[in-house]
Amino acid sequence: MTIDFSSIFHQDSVLVIFTIIAIGYLIGNIRIARFEIGVTGGVLLCALLFGHYGYTIDPIVQSIGFTLFIYSVGWQAGPQILNVLRQDGPKYLVLTLFMTAGSFLLVLGLAWLTGLSNSFAAGLMAGSLTSTPTLVGAQNAVSSGLVSLPTGETANSLIESISVAYAITYIFGTVGLLLVVKLLPNLLRTDLAAAAETFANERGFKAENVEEKIERPILRAYELDDPGLNGMTIAEALAARTTKEISYKSLYRLKRGADLIDPQPETVIETGDKVAVFATPEEHAKARDLYGLGAEVLDRDLIDAVVDVAEVVVTNPMSVGKSLEQIGTYERHGCYLTRITRSQIQLPLAPGTVVQRGDVMILTGERRALDRAIAELGAEDRKAVETDLLTFAAGIVFGLMLGQITVKVGDINVGIGTAGGLLVAGICVGFLRANRPTFGRMPAAARFILMELGLLLFMVGVGLNAGGGIAEAIGSVGPVLFVSGVVVTCLPLLCGYAFGRLALGMNPALLLGALTGAMTSTPALGIVQQAAKSTVPALGYAGTYALANVLLTLAGTMIMLL
């Protein structure tokens, strides 16, 4: 029996889509000398190959992918849009505008010098900056009818030109950016590790290594057999020691005879009392020596506690803008902060890290203590197994409707297009979600798969559309696009670094993190953090990333409208 795989694939679009995604994942995860092109690049390369041999999919698949991705981008950016105006926010705002405007003008200048069309220019900017939002904005400007078609061109031909330029410039955009970020500190003789440590000292926190592991707290019970503690209050016993290994909030429960007592600062200690302590193993060891804790005991009344982990979204105005030291989840509530993220980027667990609205804090502690901490911070994003698809779908409908609105200026219809409408809708829903965590509930895994799947479906469509014409394009404008792509990848980054250091006076480690955020490159952030041996660059990345996604989407649309 003969199996005609070519015929099977031509007849089944679903098979084509998921074959490309599966192979693309494998290609994207291949690492050569610590570099990899990533899943997006792998899927694009695989789709180009399939497209070259004439495989196609229903256009609605790419439209659905585009809708899911760009709406999710807005959703993710929503909580952070206003935060860029706080603390270092103005610097991040100016740097992001500088990078976007500079790249935009550079692309227009190169297009004018080399005679590239606007469609090639849009793809050039998107691929060189590895910015899928730019690609989305440009293609949507065409498909939604915002662009007046040049004579002899069709919407499909313009979209193919955008995709081809994106594909030709994307590979160097990925690898080249990683190389520049890796080599730039050495060429400038800048010690990123020292710069990160300097920034940490200025802000009053430890620039911990990105590899640092967090000890998990455990609950243990001890007998208080030190005669020197008899008759002292808990507050007096703690104050008598000069260190702060144990907060009274870490004393979970005290037992005297058969009575259970909720420890308070004024609680008087009696010899023979038993106490349950919630602390890390290291703190347990130190506390036994410092506070006269006796032998460890197994008493179910003391250690029968509900120890839980809570994912807390910061929304309370009383906590927004404060440092982790000022918030004091451990000192005030006996809860351990094990992770804090902003726009899905992990931030330093350092006393000087400033908390912003929409940040997510992972706390571990006894359930009652967690409830007290949550009340001060915001709201718990409970581990829901269901997604509020009503809000998600309604937001998309609102964005699509908003994108249809145009204003007639002379003979020209002006509007934000479908991409702009979905971005605005996503930002609004994301902002409301950050302020009211019970609104539009969506588990983290659901957010990830909707955004990732939307991106990959869109990239499959891009690659298949470009595959048919990429060979011809490489022969005609390929060299011009590639050289121009090298310039667009490298020059804005170099100029942005100089601008950040000379005009904004930013710390090198923080600045490089912010530049990778402005270019929406998470792999490049990883390179910077490894060089800095710190998570300090992540603060800069989180400061520019959300706004950059929005501005780069608009930049793609604007190129096509000129």
Side-chain angles (χ1 to χ4, degrees):
M1 184 178 72
T2 302
I3 300 176
D4 187 350
F5 284 102
S6 177
S7 178
I8 292 174
F9 275 87
H10 274 292
Q11 294 172 11
D12 194 337
S13 294
V14 176
L15 181 60
V16 171
I17 292 169
F18 286 99
T19 299
I20 291 174
I21 291 176
I23 298 175
Y25 252 91
L26 292 175
I27 296 174
N29 287 316
I30 295 174
R31 178 168 296 192
I32 301 175
R34 296 177 66 181
F35 292 103
E36 59 184 37
I37 64 172
V39 173
T40 304
V43 170
L44 177 62
L45 285 178
C46 187
L48 286 171
L49 180 62
F50 273 69
H52 179 69
Y53 287 101
Y55 293 98
T56 61
I57 59 173
D58 193 317
I60 192 63
V61 174
Q62 185 176 349
S63 297
I64 291 174
F66 149 76
T67 300
L68 291 176
F69 172 70
I70 204 67
Y71 179 71
S72 298
V73 167
W75 180 299
Q76 181 174 284
Q80 303 302 329
I81 290 295
L82 296 181
N83 289 337
V84 297
L85 300 177
R86 298 189 180 99
Q87 199 188 17
D88 291 324
K91 291 184 178 180
Y92 295 141
L93 175 63
V94 172
L95 182 64
T96 307
L97 289 171
F98 177 86
M99 290 292 292
T100 305
S103 301
F104 180 82
L105 295 174
L106 176 62
V107 167
L108 292 182
L110 288 172
W112 178 75
L113 286 173
T114 58
L116 292 175
S117 65
N118 284 8
S119 54
F120 279 130
L124 166 65
M125 182 172 181
S128 302
L129 302 181
T130 65
S131 173
T132 307
T134 302
L135 177 66
V136 170
Q139 291 198 348
N140 178 253
V142 177
S143 60
S144 63
L146 289 178
V147 177
S148 298
L149 299 178
T151 304
E153 295 281 4
T154 65
N156 287 337
S157 65
L158 290 181
I159 290 175
E160 181 179 318
S161 297
I162 296 171
S163 301
V164 166
Y166 177 81
I168 291 175
T169 55
Y170 180 86
I171 301 302
F172 182 84
T174 301
V175 178
L177 177 59
L178 297 179
L179 286 172
V180 173
V181 166
K182 186 176 180 64
L183 297 176
L184 184 59
N186 295 329
L187 293 175
L188 298 177
R189 297 182 180 179
T190 300
D191 187 340
L192 282 189
E197 184 176 358
T198 299
F199 178 83
N201 292 334
E202 290 173 353
R203 294 297 173 92
F205 62 80
K206 175 186 174 185
E208 74 277 14
N209 189 288
V210 295
E211 305 269 334
E212 184 176 354
K213 295 183 179 178
I214 301 168
E215 286 192 276
R216 304 297 177 182
I218 55 178
L219 186 66
R220 290 178 176 174
Y222 303 95
E223 185 173 356
L224 298 176
D225 56 4
D226 184 352
L229 297 177
N230 188 46
M232 297 179 67
T233 65
I234 289 178
E236 290 170 343
L238 294 177
R241 274 69 177 183
T242 56
T243 60
K244 297 181 180 179
E245 297 299 331
I246 293 292
S247 160
Y248 90 90
K249 291 291 186 179
S250 295
L251 306 180
Y252 167 61
R253 187 175 289 170
L254 188 141
K255 186 176 183 180
R256 182 170 298 154
D259 297 329
L260 295 176
I261 301 172
D262 187 17
Q264 299 295 328
E266 63 274 10
T267 301
V268 177
I269 300 172
E270 295 182 8
T271 303
D273 286 349
K274 299 175 183 177
V275 64
V277 179
F278 188 67
T280 65
E282 182 181 358
E283 289 170 341
H284 275 289
K286 292 180 180 179
R288 292 189 65 175
D289 296 332
L290 289 170
Y291 299 109
L293 301 180
E296 186 174 353
V297 297
L298 179 61
D299 191 317
R300 296 190 181 280
D301 292 336
L302 287 174
I303 61 176
D304 186 18
V306 180
V307 178
D308 205 352
V309 177
E311 185 175 312
V312 185
V313 181
V314 179
T315 60
N316 192 331
M318 300 300 294
S319 297
V320 173
K322 289 185 177 180
S323 66
L324 294 180
E325 183 177 30
Q326 292 171 319
I327 291 175
T329 56
Y330 173 66
E331 291 77 12
R332 292 169 57 81
H333 304 290
C335 298
Y336 284 78
L337 175 64
T338 58
R339 184 182 179 93
I340 179 171
T341 60
R342 180 178 303 154
S343 295
Q344 300 181 355
I345 299 299
Q346 185 172 351
L347 302 181
L349 288 177
T353 298
V354 176
V355 175
Q356 295 182 0
R357 184 181 301 277
D359 287 355
V360 177
M361 302 173 70
I362 309 299
L363 299 178
T364 302
E366 190 271 327
R367 188 66 248 182
R368 293 178 301 173
L370 282 174
D371 290 339
R372 291 193 295 267
I374 291 168
E376 287 193 6
L377 293 171
E380 182 177 3
D381 191 5
R382 297 189 180 274
K383 297 177 181 178
V385 295
E386 295 183 357
T387 297
D388 184 358
L389 285 176
L390 173 61
T391 301
F392 188 83
I396 289 177
V397 170
F398 172 70
L400 293 173
M401 297 287 287
L402 187 62
Q404 300 300 314
I405 299 174
T406 59
V407 177
K408 199 169 185 67
V409 180
D411 295 329
I412 302 175
N413 290 323
V414 179
I416 60 175
T418 304
L422 288 169
L423 265 180
V424 171
I427 288 171
C428 291
V429 174
F431 180 78
L432 291 173
R433 165 76 174 144
N435 287 273
R436 299 177 181 272
T438 56
F439 170 80
R441 182 161 310 214
M442 183 181 295
R447 291 196 299 269
F448 172 80
I449 196 169
L450 285 171
M451 187 170 182
E452 185 80 351
L453 183 61
L455 171 61
L456 296 184
L457 289 176
F458 179 75
M459 293 308 299
V460 168
V462 169
L464 291 176
N465 288 336
I470 194 167
E472 180 182 349
I474 290 176
S476 57
V477 295
V480 172
L481 281 172
F482 181 81
V483 173
S484 298
V486 172
V487 175
V488 177
T489 297
C490 300
L491 190 57
L493 183 63
L494 299 175
C495 292
Y497 186 86
F499 178 76
R501 292 289 292 146
L502 300 177
L504 302 179
M506 295 180 68
N507 177 280
L510 191 72
L511 174 58
L512 275 177
L515 289 173
T516 60
M519 300 182 78
T520 65
S521 176
T522 303
L525 171 65
I527 296 292
V528 176
Q529 288 192 134
Q530 288 175 356
K533 300 179 181 178
S534 168
T535 54
V536 162
L539 292 170
Y541 184 94
T544 58
Y545 176 78
L547 183 60
N549 270 303
V550 176
L551 293 179
L552 287 170
T553 303
L554 299 178
T557 302
M558 289 301 300
I559 288 179
M560 295 306 300
L561 292 176
L562 294 178

